[in-house]
Amino acid sequence: MAFLNLIRWKNLTIIVFMAMTIRYALLPGFGQKPSIGLPYYLLLILTVVCLAAAGHIINAIFNVTTDSINKPNKIIIDQVIKRRIAFKLYFGLNVLGLFTILFILLSNPSKSLWIVFSICVLSPIALAIYSIWLKKIALLGNILISILVGASIFCFGLALVDNDQSPVFYFTILTYALLGFSLNLSRELIKDVEDLRGDYYCKMKTLPILIGRKRSNHIIFGLLTFTILILLTILLNYFLSLNIFIFYVFVFVLIPLILISKRILKAKNQKDYTSISFHLKLVFLIGISSMFTFLNL
């Protein structure tokens, strides 16, 4: 169980759910056939899961000091799993993920999979840089992690359908990737406020440390408001004819985001931020589930 908590199995489950929803809901909703077979797509899911799990491990290794202050009851490195073993798991998962994506590319050479391969190769480097250096710097680390979240959505869609085959499907995937990026960036900033005490002790320069909790709340509020406006603009300009999809997104995504953004301005303690972070993750899951409405097209 300690290993599962170390690799954050709940987040990995979300990745699997997201990938399968794209494959079995969004893709048939557009009447498209997948560019790669199911075995190779499952291997792609394995690749992303392995690289994400490795990223969680390296982050936990370099986060022991802050976690000992912010989450003393949830520390795994050195207390349950030795650091030496954690590093071996980290390298093993990265090697497995990279060899898997290389096998997929060699078996299905295409421009789309070359892009996916490049993103997968760069991801472990980006995650290591984040854990060692960028996590300590305001916004840069938050943005990098959020880009990788959006890139994972993009990779699953790109592996299934080439841009030239279905530009509408491609645009829809980019919209979901944008949603993933923006919601994750908001959650990353919220987690920085949650971890303010430990980060301050470790002399990090996160946004809440530099500008304070209240100003950070206003920036998160502005980011969520911007996300709402962008989604609203995309919906009204490109998806207005999809009644079920429009209704679903308005009721289960946009309205909750409006309510959450109002709660941000009133958030004061760790309990408030933890609750808001959880509900943002829930909205993201609900947003991904909106792909099922495309089956009615």
Side-chain angles (χ1 to χ4, degrees):
M1 191 63 189
F3 171 72
L4 293 178
N5 289 330
L6 178 63
I7 63 174
R8 298 186 187 179
W9 66 272
K10 293 179 182 178
N11 289 350
L12 302 184
T13 303
I14 292 175
I15 291 174
V16 175
F17 170 75
M18 178 177 68
M20 298 305 285
T21 304
I22 293 171
R23 171 65 176 78
Y24 288 105
L26 190 64
L27 188 69
F30 281 90
Q32 294 292 320
K33 292 183 179 180
S35 300
I36 60 173
L38 180 58
Y40 292 109
Y41 190 67
L42 293 176
L43 287 176
L44 176 61
I45 296 175
L46 176 64
T47 295
V48 176
V49 166
C50 285
L51 297 180
H56 292 319
I57 292 174
I58 193 67
N59 187 53
I61 291 172
F62 285 94
N63 227 25
V64 171
T65 305
T66 54
D67 284 346
S68 65
I69 299 171
N70 296 320
K71 305 166 187 175
N73 298 323
K74 295 183 178 181
I75 297 177
I76 297 174
I77 302 296
D78 292 333
Q79 292 195 7
V80 183
I81 297 176
K82 293 181 179 179
R83 191 177 296 248
R84 175 175 52 83
I85 295 175
F87 269 115
K88 287 182 178 180
L89 290 171
Y90 164 72
F91 285 112
L93 286 167
N94 274 326
V95 169
L96 177 59
L98 293 176
F99 267 105
T100 303
I101 189 61
L102 178 61
F103 172 75
I104 296 170
L105 177 64
L106 293 177
S107 303
N108 303 268
S110 68
K111 179 183 176 181
S112 296
L113 283 176
W114 265 110
I115 297 174
V116 173
F117 174 78
S118 301
I119 293 173
C120 289
V121 169
L122 291 173
S123 292
I125 301 171
L127 288 168
I129 291 173
Y130 164 79
S131 299
I132 299 171
W133 293 295
L134 291 187
K135 184 178 177 65
K136 303 175 184 179
I137 303 174
L139 288 178
L140 289 182
N142 307 124
I143 291 172
L144 176 61
I145 290 297
S146 301
I147 288 173
L148 292 176
V149 170
S152 66
I153 301 173
F154 175 74
C155 283
F156 288 127
L158 189 60
L160 288 170
V161 175
D162 189 85
N163 180 27
D164 297 331
Q165 290 179 295
S166 180
V168 178
F169 176 87
Y170 189 78
F171 174 78
T172 306
I173 280 292
L174 285 176
T175 300
Y176 278 105
L178 175 64
L179 175 66
F181 167 81
S182 184
L183 292 185
N184 193 80
L185 181 56
S186 299
R187 287 191 69 245
E188 285 290 317
L189 294 175
I190 289 170
K191 285 191 289 184
D192 280 348
V193 181
E194 281 187 89
D195 298 339
L196 182 61
R197 192 160 60 97
D199 290 348
Y200 181 80
Y201 176 81
C202 293
K203 298 180 180 180
M204 293 186 177
K205 297 182 184 297
T206 61
L207 192 67
I209 290 174
L210 293 178
I211 67 173
R213 178 182 57 80
K214 287 187 177 180
R215 290 189 180 94
S216 296
N217 285 359
H218 283 90
I219 287 179
I220 298 168
F221 172 80
L223 178 60
L224 286 175
T225 301
F226 178 74
T227 302
I228 292 167
L229 292 175
I230 290 295
L231 281 177
L232 193 59
T233 301
I234 292 173
L235 285 174
L236 296 179
N237 281 282
Y238 299 101
F239 298 103
L240 193 57
S241 60
L242 308 180
N243 296 330
I244 298 176
F245 177 72
I246 288 286
F247 175 80
Y248 182 100
V249 174
F250 262 92
V251 174
F252 298 111
V253 178
L254 288 176
I255 292 177
L257 281 180
I258 293 171
L259 296 176
I260 290 171
S261 64
K262 291 176 65 177
R263 287 179 59 196
I264 284 288
L265 295 177
K266 300 177 181 179
K268 294 180 180 179
N269 53 52
Q270 190 171 16
K271 184 179 178 181
D272 293 336
Y273 292 107
T274 301
S275 175
I276 291 169
S277 178
F278 169 77
H279 285 102
L280 275 177
K281 181 180 283 190
L282 191 60
V283 168
F284 174 71
L285 269 174
I286 293 171
I288 292 297
S289 299
S290 68
M291 294 181 187
F292 288 103
T293 63
F294 287 91
L295 290 172
N296 296 310
L297 294 178

